[in-house]
Amino acid sequence: MKPIRLAANRFPRFYRGGPAIDALRGTTPPAGAAFLPEDWVGSTTAAFGSDGDGLTRLEDGRTLREAVAADPEGFFGRGHAEAYGDSPALLVKLLHAGERLPVHCHPDRDFARRHLGCPWGKTEAWVIAATEGPDAAVHLGFREAMDPERLAGLVAGQDVEALLASLNAVPVATGDTVLVPAGLPHAIGQGVLLVELQEPTDLSVLLEWEGFAVDGRRDGHLGLGFELALGCVDRSGWSPTRLAGLRGGHGPDRPGVERLFPAEADPYFRAERLSPEPAVRLEAAFSILVVTGGSGRLETAGGSLELGRGDTVLVPFAAGPGEVRGRLAAVRCLPPTPEAGPDLRGAA
Ligand SMILES: [Zn+2]
């Protein structure tokens, strides 16, 4: 199989953003594009409540979901296919916060399995690809343990000022990484462009919606009601030391390759920052490449592709081992190993 260059895959969301995605990809923003802040890359995941939005479509007209269902071993390799079936066990996005995103969080696997019939939660992680202005920041975790009644009151009353003040404000710069475990309340600050890795779901609980083009009271609780939905929120206190543990790396790897995210991310996804000097070898693996700068070339047993800034490429397992060469920077996104992710036996 050949590596597959992926076209942009954008659809309307309820918050502003998108120009930084066009700037990265070198494309012209589509007309009326104020609310196209995400590009789902190599996605077999549909947006919550939709059966089409979010799904990557291939050049031959099939969805990626249809293509992988026909050949999971070719796309993912046998070990992955035996563990996760025809799921890539990964969702990658480009996300540009044209305005600060609302405070929200995501259920973990246990909560999703018990209340939503889904074996995947939505732990996510960010690689900051660009920022705007001098004060780029994200909000992450409660500064002090949050009382459940107080949280319910802040959400019901949409007391956004108090909600934001209760969270850590964390400055971010291009190249930074942040692991966001399921449950951790967070909000991405205005102007931040990131490469996002996450479990393959679109499950969000909104703690804030006032002023956004969404009816959070109706659509912010996954259909569970807020009393139950707020049970997925991590209400524990996050000190600066504890937060620092989310921002670390994985330790050294081979030359030209930096393993991103701490080891706590391994059950959810893996990522590498590639900076070939002048080439890096890649083992055969299903992966999504996002080129964040420069240009070069991907060569695999199955085929080769020129790479430029903003390119997104799906490398199927059956493309075989390969090499990236050139003066470029790229994020290589990988699913968990077959041993590290959830046990799907008996799952719906
Ligand atoms: Zn999120």
Side-chain angles (χ1 to χ4, degrees):
M1 290 173 81
K2 295 177 185 164
I4 301 167
R5 188 186 302 282
L6 298 166
N9 177 27
R10 292 163 71 178
F11 57 96
R13 301 295 261 176
F14 67 77
Y15 65 95
R16 290 172 189 279
I21 296 175
D22 287 297
L24 177 73
R25 280 189 174 277
T27 48
T28 310
F35 290 88
L36 296 175
E38 299 178 12
D39 186 335
W40 292 24
V41 183
S43 165
T44 64
T45 303
F48 188 76
S50 163
D51 23 278
D53 286 349
L55 298 180
T56 289
R57 206 162 269 285
L58 302 176
E59 257 182 351
D60 65 10
R62 287 184 303 168
T63 61
L64 177 62
R65 187 191 268 180
E66 291 166 330
V68 301
D71 186 10
E73 283 195 21
F75 273 91
F76 304 134
R78 177 175 293 182
H80 178 117
E82 284 177 358
Y84 309 128
D86 57 11
S87 171
L90 174 71
L91 175 58
V92 176
K93 296 178 185 173
L94 300 174
L95 188 155
H96 172 223
E99 59 186 321
R100 179 184 62 77
L101 264 63
V103 180
H104 67 283
C105 75
H106 310 288
D108 67 12
R109 287 173 181 165
D110 184 52
F111 186 97
R113 195 186 278 272
R114 278 189 293 136
H115 301 297
L116 298 159
C118 175
W120 308 97
K122 197 168 97 101
T123 286
E124 64 187 43
W126 309 328
V127 182
I128 312 291
T131 61
E132 293 156 21
D135 301 316
V138 297
H139 286 90
L140 210 58
F142 290 120
R143 284 146 41 113
E144 292 167 12
M146 170 65 72
D147 175 79
E149 284 75 36
R150 175 153 186 258
L151 176 62
L154 291 176
V155 172
Q158 283 297 284
D159 189 346
V160 173
E161 205 174 321
L163 186 62
L164 280 177
S166 69
L167 295 167
N168 292 286
V170 179
V172 290
T174 301
D176 285 359
T177 62
V178 185
L179 171 64
V180 185
L184 193 70
H186 57 278
I188 299 162
Q190 180 174 8
V192 176
L193 171 70
L194 41 91
V195 179
E196 184 173 50
L197 291 86
Q198 52 190 232
E199 295 179 75
T201 72
D202 186 33
L203 303 173
S204 293
V205 173
L206 296 182
L207 308 186
E208 177 193 1
W209 56 82
E210 198 77 22
F212 290 90
V214 62
D215 181 353
R217 238 172 265 285
R218 191 190 67 192
D219 296 329
H221 50 73
L222 297 169
L224 300 174
F226 273 109
E227 197 177 329
L228 178 55
L230 290 182
C232 84
V233 180
D234 174 358
R235 291 181 292 94
S236 68
W238 282 77
S239 68
T241 315
R242 197 175 172 207
L243 281 176
L246 301 177
R247 309 195 62 192
H250 210 291
D253 204 277
R254 54 202 195 275
V257 179
E258 180 190 357
R259 276 289 297 277
L260 304 175
F261 312 134
E264 288 75 17
D266 289 355
Y268 306 99
F269 34 68
R270 295 166 291 154
E272 299 172 342
R273 188 173 357 241
L274 307 182
S275 34
E277 310 165 350
V280 287
R281 298 279 308 158
L282 305 176
E283 80 286 5
F286 165 73
S287 66
I288 303 282
L289 284 181
V290 178
V291 182
T292 53
S295 63
R297 191 171 170 79
L298 167 69
E299 293 179 351
T300 72
S304 302
L305 278 181
E306 297 297 324
L307 299 176
R309 184 169 183 267
D311 280 350
T312 53
V313 175
L314 185 157
V315 184
F317 176 86
E323 197 170 76
V324 170
R325 49 174 75 238
R327 294 179 73 86
L328 61 80
V331 181
R332 182 179 186 232
C333 308
L334 298 144
T337 63
E339 299 76 33
D343 184 352
L344 300 189
R345 284 169 300 184

